[in-house]
């Protein structure tokens, strides 16, 4: 790999990491090409990006993006997203399905180094869409209860009239 190629990769990763709130580092040793493609497809569906890159290049990119000093070793695959939860969810779901070949090592969440337990904890949180659905449900509860009450009153009046 030439210096130019390395520079391009570092620049790309730096710009991507600056825009992301979560970067998850996973070990993928032993995965087949089809399994990696299924990971990439799952990530794409959840607005998460996946990249295999040299550890030294990712370390430089993380420093350039002001994410801190992360120590990397072994074979790593990197997942990142613009929100904290998507990348964690994708990594956790894939790790559960491929326990022998895919493990979460660590991550960087909101600029702080996170261990595997913290990444898993973020994966258990509801997504933005789920939270918005919960909020809408809470807001609609008074209207729903009012209409149920009106319908019950209507039925009672119809029964009394009959």
């Amino acid at each position: 790999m030439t210096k130019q190629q390395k520079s391009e990769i570092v620049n790309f990763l730096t710009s991507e990491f600056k825009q992301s709130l979560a970067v998850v580092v996973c070990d993928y040793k032993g995965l087949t090409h089809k399994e990696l493609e299924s990971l990439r497809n799952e990530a794409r569906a959840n607005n998460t990006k996946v990249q295999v890159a040299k550890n030294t290049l990712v370390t430089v990119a993380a420093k350039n993006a002001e994410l801190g000093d992360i120590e990397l070793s072994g074979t790593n695959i990197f997942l990142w997203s613009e929100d904290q939860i998507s990348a964690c969810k994708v990594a956790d779901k894939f790790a559960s399905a491929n326990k022998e070949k895919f493990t979460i090592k660590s991550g960087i969440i909101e600029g702080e180094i996170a261990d595997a337990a913290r990444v898993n904890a973020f994966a258990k949180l509801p997504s933005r869409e789920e939270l918005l659905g919960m909020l809408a449900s809470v807001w609609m509860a008074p209207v729903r209860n009012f209409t149920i009450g009106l319908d019950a009153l209507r039925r009672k009046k119809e029964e009394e009239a009959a």
Side-chain angles (χ1 to χ4, degrees):
M1 187 179 293
T2 65
K3 281 189 174 188
Q4 177 66 27
Q5 291 171 325
K6 290 179 184 179
S7 174
E8 289 173 4
I9 291 171
V10 168
N11 291 337
F12 169 74
L13 290 175
T14 300
S15 67
E16 290 290 324
F17 289 170
K18 281 183 180 179
Q19 297 173 4
S20 68
L21 291 176
V23 179
V24 181
V25 181
C26 302
D27 183 5
Y28 70 102
K29 189 178 266 183
L31 284 179
T32 64
H33 179 35
K34 283 187 178 184
E35 291 168 332
L36 275 174
E37 280 304 310
S38 68
L39 170 64
R40 290 180 196 279
N41 291 336
E42 179 71 24
R44 194 174 303 117
N46 289 297
N47 295 324
T48 300
K49 298 179 181 174
V50 179
Q51 177 83 34
V52 175
K54 289 188 169 199
N55 293 336
T56 54
L57 300 179
V58 173
T59 303
V60 170
K63 284 181 184 176
N64 291 347
E66 299 173 0
L67 294 178
D69 293 330
I70 187 165
E71 294 182 23
L72 302 170
S73 63
T75 57
N76 294 315
I77 191 166
F78 304 92
L79 292 86
W80 66 90
S81 63
E82 291 182 4
D83 64 40
Q84 303 91 332
I85 298 172
S86 297
C88 297
K89 279 189 180 285
V90 170
D92 185 59
K93 183 177 177 183
F94 196 77
S96 297
N98 299 286
K99 291 181 182 178
E100 299 294 319
K101 303 173 188 174
F102 189 85
T103 56
I104 298 172
K105 288 183 169 182
S106 64
I108 303 172
I109 299 175
E110 293 181 347
E112 296 179 12
I113 306 297
D115 60 349
R118 186 166 177 206
V119 172
N120 289 333
F122 267 84
K124 305 295 184 242
L125 294 173
S127 68
R128 182 177 188 273
E129 288 76 23
E130 292 168 334
L131 288 172
L132 289 174
M134 290 177 189
L135 182 63
S137 177
V138 168
W139 282 349
M140 294 301 295
V143 174
R144 185 174 39 250
N145 291 338
F146 180 71
T147 56
I148 290 171
L150 282 178
D151 188 48
L153 181 63
R154 179 191 55 85
R155 283 192 212 141
K156 184 177 178 185
K157 295 286 183 181
E158 287 176 355
E159 289 173 6
E160 288 176 1

